[in-house]
């Protein structure tokens, strides 16, 4: 992965395999607030929420999740220990994620997300899935029927899953919707209310 800093506006961007994962400022706020807050709002009356974050090693989704006092535990599973180390130790990243990794409710596991869910997961109230877009076979398996069937097994009966789905109602987004529906999920496609301020319209399922 690589971090880039724009000296003109001071914004920081992270790229993994050529894909932009985040850009500080409006991009970060619009993406991560839309990703996290709708599901958290649906669970606002629940207590002692057990949250699972798959991917999201930059800590920015964690930052939003940890704003909720009813979260008792947040486990983040990421295969990239170098990214998490950067997010925990680089001053610019710590400022962006509000030192999310120092929160005592957070536990970080370095593992393949699919393997973790199959072997170690437990049950969760909300699972946030923040993977890069499926640009190769290794990533594509994380968007498969087999993956979503495994996801169902780690959700409580009234649990929610939120999936980063690329651009809103693009081919990737529609494939995720149809695949989740095929294994029995009730799905909803959504996107930010202010997408016209940015250079892309984020899609979520």
């Amino acid at each position: 992965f690589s971090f880039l800093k724009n000296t003109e506006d001071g914004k920081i961007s992270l790229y993994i395999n050529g894909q932009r994962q985040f850009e500080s400022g409006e991009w970060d706020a619009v993406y991560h607030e839309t990703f996290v807050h709708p599901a958290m709002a649906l669970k606002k009356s629940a207590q002692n929420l057990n949250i699972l974050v798959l991917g999201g090693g930059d800590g920015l989704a964690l930052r939003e999740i940890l704003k909720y006092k009813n979260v008792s535990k947040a486990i983040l599973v990421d295969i990239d220990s170098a990214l998490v180390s950067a997010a925990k130790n680089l001053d610019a990243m710590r400022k962006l994620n509000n030192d999310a990794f120092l929160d005592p409710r957070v536990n970080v596991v370095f593992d393949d997300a699919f393997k973790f869910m199959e072997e170690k997961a437990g049950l969760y109230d909300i699972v946030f899935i923040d993977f890069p877009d499926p640009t190769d076979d290794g990533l594509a398996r994380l968007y498969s029927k087999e993956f979503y069937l495994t996801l169902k097994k780690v959700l409580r009966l009234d649990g929610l899953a939120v999936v980063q789905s690329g651009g809103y109602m693009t081919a990737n987004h529609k494939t995720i919707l149809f695949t989740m529906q095929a294994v029995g999920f009730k799905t909803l496609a959504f996107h930010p209310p202010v997408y016209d301020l940015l250079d892309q319209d984020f899609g979520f399922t």
Side-chain angles (χ1 to χ4, degrees):
F1 65 89
S2 60
F3 287 100
L4 298 176
K5 184 171 183 180
N6 187 326
T7 54
E8 293 180 5
D9 58 18
K11 289 182 178 179
I12 297 170
S13 300
L14 169 67
Y15 289 82
I16 298 178
N17 297 330
Q19 286 188 54
R20 181 172 56 176
Q21 302 303 301
F22 76 77
E23 178 183 279
S24 59
E26 282 184 340
W27 198 103
D28 166 23
V30 170
Y31 177 93
H32 290 100
E33 289 175 11
T34 308
F35 181 42
V36 169
H37 294 304
M40 296 301 298
L42 289 170
K43 292 291 187 181
K44 64 182 179 181
S45 61
Q47 297 300 313
N48 300 316
L49 290 177
N50 197 18
I51 307 294
L52 177 63
V53 183
L54 301 177
D58 50 38
L60 301 178
L62 267 183
R63 175 195 68 204
E64 300 302 316
I65 292 164
L66 296 171
K67 291 177 179 179
Y68 292 86
K69 302 301 182 185
N70 60 342
V71 172
S72 63
K73 183 189 293 184
I75 296 178
L76 183 139
V77 179
D78 201 303
I79 202 167
D80 192 343
S81 60
L83 173 57
V84 175
S85 178
K88 290 172 67 174
N89 295 297
L90 294 179
D91 288 343
M93 285 301 300
R94 291 180 59 187
K95 183 176 180 181
L96 282 177
N97 64 39
N98 199 29
D99 272 333
F101 291 100
L102 300 183
D103 192 296
R105 294 172 290 174
V106 172
N107 182 30
V108 178
V109 177
F110 297 117
D111 203 349
D112 175 84
F114 208 150
K115 180 181 176 184
F116 174 85
M117 288 200 301
E118 287 181 321
E119 298 178 358
K120 311 169 190 173
L123 289 174
Y124 298 89
D125 299 288
I126 309 177
V127 179
F128 292 97
I129 300 175
D130 199 13
F131 298 144
D133 293 340
T135 53
D136 58 45
D137 290 343
L139 288 167
R141 62 189 280 274
L142 301 176
Y143 291 87
S144 64
K145 284 185 179 180
E146 292 76 15
F147 179 85
Y148 293 127
L149 283 168
T150 306
L151 173 63
K152 288 183 74 175
K153 295 176 182 178
V154 306
L155 281 171
R156 299 192 190 279
L157 289 177
D158 60 348
L160 300 168
V162 186
V163 183
Q164 184 286 120
S165 304
Y168 180 66
M169 296 311 290
T170 58
N172 278 348
H173 195 178
K174 291 176 182 178
T175 298
I176 290 167
L177 280 165
F178 296 150
T179 306
M180 294 185 78
Q181 289 166 2
V183 301
F185 278 103
K186 296 177 181 178
T187 61
L188 172 70
F190 64 103
H191 62 146
V194 291
Y195 64 89
D196 55 332
L197 297 178
L198 303 171
D199 58 4
Q200 70 181 100
D201 185 8
F202 303 120
F204 301 96
T205 304

